Amino acid sequence: NAGVTQTPKFRILKIGQSMTLQCTQDMNHNYMYWYRQDPGMGLKLIYYSVGAGITDKGEVPNGYNVSRSTTEDFPLRLELAAPSQTSVYFCASSLRPDRVYEQYFGPGTRLTVT
Amino acid sequence: AQTVTQSQPEMSVQEAETVTLSCTYDTSESDYYLFWYKQPPSRQMILVIRQEAYKQQNATENRFSVNFQKAAKSFSLKISDSQLGDAAMYFCAYRFFGNEKLTFGTGTRLTIIP
C-alpha cells in the first residue's frame, strides 16, 4: 500500500492563479480530510468527506473547494490564490470515526503564493 | 468548542534521558479520543500514541507513554531513553467520539542533545 499520496510536493503560485492539489489513498478509507498548517501552528481542517459524493466544511473553508467523485480521490481546489493561502497542505484519510482509528496523513504540499 | 493547548513551544533533552511534553484540552464531552502525532523535518505526520477517554489505563507504546488525567483534562507524553530520531515537532490532538474533526494543539519542538 502506498497509503496517502499528494501531488505536487511544492508549488509557487502568483496571486489570482488557481490550482488543484491532488490526494489519493489506497486503503479503501471512506473518510478523507484536507488540513492546512501555517508556520508555528497546528493543523486546521479545511474540508472533509465521509464518502464519495459527500463533502462538508471544516474550520477554514473560505477560498477552497473540494469534490469527491471516487473513494480514492479527494482533490482540493484553490480559486484566486491569495498570500494568506501560503501554507503546507495535508491530506488525510481514516476509517469510521466512532472508534479510535487514526488518521493517516500524506507527505504534504508546500504552497507559496506571491 | 474544543481547544487543545500545548504550553511548551520548545523542549530539549539529553540523549538517553526522559522528557515529558504537556497537553491540556477543553471539552464538555465525556467520550473522546486523544492522540500524539510526531512531525519530523520530513513533514510527515506520524501517530505516536492514542488514548480512549473511557479507558483509565494509560496507553504505552515502547518508549512512549502517556499520563492521562481525565478530570484535569491533561494528556502528557513521556518519552523514555530519548534517541536522536525522536527530534521533531510533537502535536497533541483531540477528537470527539463519532466526530470526524481532529483538533490540534500548536505543537512542541523537541530537540535531542547528543
Side-chain angles (χ1 to χ4, degrees), chain A residues 37 97 99-101 103 105, chain B residues 37 39 43-44 50 95:
Chain A
Q37 183 181 26
R99 296 288 186 271
V100 66
Y101 295 126
Q103 291 186 12
F105 286 82
Chain B
Y37 278 88
Q39 186 180 42
R43 289 203 313 249
Q44 184 75 46
R50 72 191 91 187
R95 179 163 64 77

Side-chain angles (χ1 to χ4, degrees), chain A residues 9-10 31 33 35 37 40-43 45 48 50 59 88 90 97-103 105-110, chain B residues 33-35 37 39 42-47 50-52 89 91 95-107:
Chain A
K9 286 189 167 53
F10 304 93
Y31 292 81
Y33 315 82
Y35 293 89
Q37 183 181 26
M41 303 295 289
L43 281 67
L45 184 65
Y48 66 96
V50 303
E59 291 178 84
V88 179
F90 290 95
D98 59 340
R99 296 288 186 271
V100 66
Y101 295 126
E102 67 180 282
Q103 291 186 12
F105 286 82
T109 295
R110 182 178 295 279
Chain B
Y33 309 115
L34 295 163
F35 305 84
Y37 278 88
Q39 186 180 42
S42 66
R43 289 203 313 249
Q44 184 75 46
M45 295 288 285
I46 303 163
L47 180 69
R50 72 191 91 187
Q51 174 83 41
E52 292 136 294
M89 284 288 287
F91 291 96
R95 179 163 64 77
F96 169 54
F97 170 86
N99 191 304
E100 302 80 5
K101 181 174 174 292
L102 259 181
T103 300
F104 285 86
T106 52

Side-chain angles (χ1 to χ4, degrees), chain B residues 4-69:
Chain B
V4 177
T5 301
Q6 293 179 250
S7 58
Q8 307 154 314
E10 297 184 356
M11 293 279 285
S12 60
V13 63
Q14 292 283 148
E15 194 176 1
E17 296 293 307
T18 295
V19 64
T20 298
L21 308 184
S22 301
C23 173
T24 58
Y25 57 95
D26 186 25
T27 183
S28 58
E29 307 295 343
S30 60
D31 203 358
Y32 51 86
Y33 309 115
L34 295 163
F35 305 84
W36 277 99
Y37 278 88
K38 169 184 177 181
Q39 186 180 42
S42 66
R43 289 203 313 249
Q44 184 75 46
M45 295 288 285
I46 303 163
L47 180 69
V48 174
I49 200 164
R50 72 191 91 187
Q51 174 83 41
E52 292 136 294
Y54 69 85
K55 288 189 176 179
Q56 293 188 339
Q57 186 172 6
N58 289 326
T60 61
E61 289 285 345
N62 300 314
R63 297 183 294 107
F64 299 87
S65 62
V66 297
N67 184 3
F68 173 48
Q69 302 287 328

